[in-house]
Amino acid sequence: QVQLVESGGGLVQAGGSLRLSCVASRIMFSFYDMAWYRQAPGNQRELVADISSGGATNYADSVKERFTISRDNGKKTVYLQMNSLKPEDTAVYYCNTHPLPLRSDWGKGTLVTVSL
């Protein structure tokens, strides 16, 4: 079972920034495309951003120009830099492989709360 541990969430005012980290283990990290997902209460989990093993990135329209996904294969870590945060960004954020989520247990994620 792939192990992915998210961190970096917290409470921030609208317009602020956070950087999320996802540290992988038990996986040949550099072989896989990775992604950040989020789920707000009552909503379905949605794809926020993904990054290929080669570094190509894609973003949901709602976060374009505000969020940046990156990875450090040496550290087996994927990051999500979140700038200009909005209340609608409030959600639990998860990382997983993409497009096939090899982490069957999505875990607890990391909570991002953006206040007005």
Side-chain angles (χ1 to χ4, degrees):
Q1 172 69 21
V2 59
Q3 181 174 337
L4 299 168
V5 180
E6 303 95 340
S7 64
L11 175 64
V12 64
Q13 293 187 52
S17 298
L18 287 172
R19 189 177 78 156
L20 307 184
S21 298
C22 172
V23 180
S25 61
R26 301 172 185 169
I27 186 174
M28 295 182 184
F29 180 79
S30 63
F31 290 1
Y32 294 94
D33 296 356
M34 299 294 298
W36 284 96
Y37 303 80
R38 67 186 181 187
Q39 186 169 22
N43 292 352
Q44 293 184 322
R45 184 171 54 244
E46 64 173 335
L47 178 64
V48 176
D50 63 86
I51 183 167
S52 75
S53 60
T57 59
N58 293 287
Y59 299 91
D61 288 341
S62 59
V63 307
K64 285 180 179 177
E65 309 301 327
R66 299 189 298 118
F67 291 11
T68 302
I69 188 171
S70 61
R71 66 191 296 161
D72 185 330
N73 288 341
K75 296 181 179 179
K76 293 186 175 182
T77 302
V78 60
Y79 304 95
L80 186 67
Q81 178 66 47
M82 305 184 295
N83 298 325
S84 302
L85 283 161
K86 303 176 180 179
E88 50 263 45
D89 296 318
T90 295
V92 177
Y93 285 70
Y94 306 88
C95 65
N96 215 328
T97 57
H98 179 267
L100 177 66
L102 296 181
R103 184 193 191 185
S104 57
D105 179 3
W106 288 76
K108 297 180 179 180
T110 186
L111 176 63
V112 172
T113 302
V114 184
S115 64
L116 292 171

